[in-house]
Amino acid sequence: SNEILQRLTEAYRKIRNTIRYLLSNLSDFDPDKHSVDFCRLDALDRWALMRLGEITINVKRAYKEFKFHSVYHQIQQFCIVDLSALYLDILKDRLYCEHPKDHIRRSAQTAIYRIAHDILLLMAPILSFTAEEAWGHMPDAVNENSIFLSEMPDTPSISIDKPFQAEWELLWKIRGEVTKALELARK
C-alpha cells in the first residue's frame, strides 16, 4: 500500500541522511594519521563503538539465518535511535566548535569513521546502490574501489562491558527524563 511504501521511503531516507552526516564530518580526517587508540577515546565514543559491535554481531547473525528484514530493522534502529537521536546529536558541538586537531574532535572522528565504514559494509547486500555510492566518499584509507570487493566487517575488538553498558543505559534514561522536562518548560 502507499502507507507501507511511505514508511519504507522515510526509513530509507533516515538511513541515507545518517550516512551523509557521518561522511560529511570526515572531510579532514585521514584514518592512518588521525585515528585515536580505543583506550584514549572519549567515553561517549567508546559507547558508540560498543553499540556498533553489538549491531555487527546481530546483523551478521541475521544474514546467516537469512532474516533480511531483521538486518534492515537493526541498521535502521541503529541509525535513527542510537546515532541520530543520541550520539550524533551530542557530538555536534565537538565536531563544529572544537579545534580541527583537538583530541576530543579526533576521538569523535575516529568513532564516526569506524561506524560509517562498518555500517556501509553491513548494509551493502540490502542497500547496494546507496552503500556503493557512499563508499566512494570514504577517506583514502579504504583501498578497494568497490564496496563489493571488501569483506564484512569484523566484530570490533571492543568487549561488551556490562557495567559500562549499564551506566550508559542509566544516563540515557536520565537524559530522556530531562529532555521531557525541558520540552514541557519550553511549551
Side-chain angles (χ1 to χ4, degrees):
S1 70
N2 283 337
E3 181 183 334
I4 292 171
L5 289 175
Q6 192 63 31
R7 274 190 269 141
L8 285 172
T9 300
E10 189 59 32
Y12 166 74
R13 188 174 293 127
K14 287 180 180 182
I15 292 170
R16 189 193 72 210
N17 287 341
T18 300
I19 298 298
R20 276 182 46 193
Y21 183 82
L22 294 171
L23 292 174
S24 71
N25 283 287
L26 294 174
S27 62
D28 67 337
F29 182 75
D30 181 344
D32 293 331
K33 294 178 185 173
H34 303 129
S35 289
V36 175
D37 291 332
F38 178 74
C39 61
R40 295 186 55 228
L41 289 175
D42 183 72
L44 180 62
D45 301 323
R46 286 193 319 250
W47 172 82
L49 291 176
M50 184 188 67
R51 286 292 299 132
L52 174 65
E54 292 172 337
I55 295 300
T56 301
I57 291 166
N58 294 338
V59 166
K60 288 172 81 171
R61 182 181 319 120
Y63 274 127
K64 285 180 183 174
E65 296 171 358
F66 297 99
K67 294 181 179 176
F68 302 117
H69 66 285
S70 179
V71 170
Y72 185 80
H73 179 73
Q74 289 184 63
I75 291 171
Q76 174 197 8
Q77 289 299 303
F78 181 63
C79 287
I80 295 169
V81 177
D82 294 327
L83 294 180
S84 294
L86 294 174
Y87 181 65
L88 298 176
D89 187 46
I90 295 169
L91 224 54
K92 283 186 267 188
D93 291 338
R94 261 203 273 170
L95 292 169
Y96 300 148
C97 299
E98 295 295 329
H99 188 276
K101 295 179 182 177
D102 194 75
H103 171 77
I104 198 155
R105 186 168 182 273
R106 292 298 190 202
S107 174
Q109 287 181 307
T110 300
I112 285 174
Y113 174 79
R114 181 65 193 259
I115 291 167
H117 179 271
D118 289 6
I119 285 297
L120 289 175
L121 289 169
L122 290 171
M123 70 185 227
I126 58 170
L127 295 170
S128 55
F129 294 109
T130 303
E132 179 72 12
E133 182 180 3
W135 191 255
H137 297 283
M138 287 293 290
D140 293 338
V142 178
N143 297 325
E144 293 82 11
N145 292 330
S146 172
I147 195 166
F148 300 107
L149 298 175
S150 300
E151 293 183 23
M152 278 287 178
D154 293 329
T155 304
S157 58
I158 300 161
S159 63
I160 303 196
D161 184 359
K162 297 297 180 189
F164 183 74
Q165 191 175 26
E167 186 178 312
W168 277 98
E169 286 176 16
L170 177 62
L171 285 171
W172 294 134
K173 283 180 185 178
I174 293 169
R175 181 183 185 269
E177 294 301 318
V178 170
T179 304
K180 287 178 193 174
L182 287 172
E183 206 52 47
L184 285 173
R186 283 188 195 124
K187 287 181 182 178

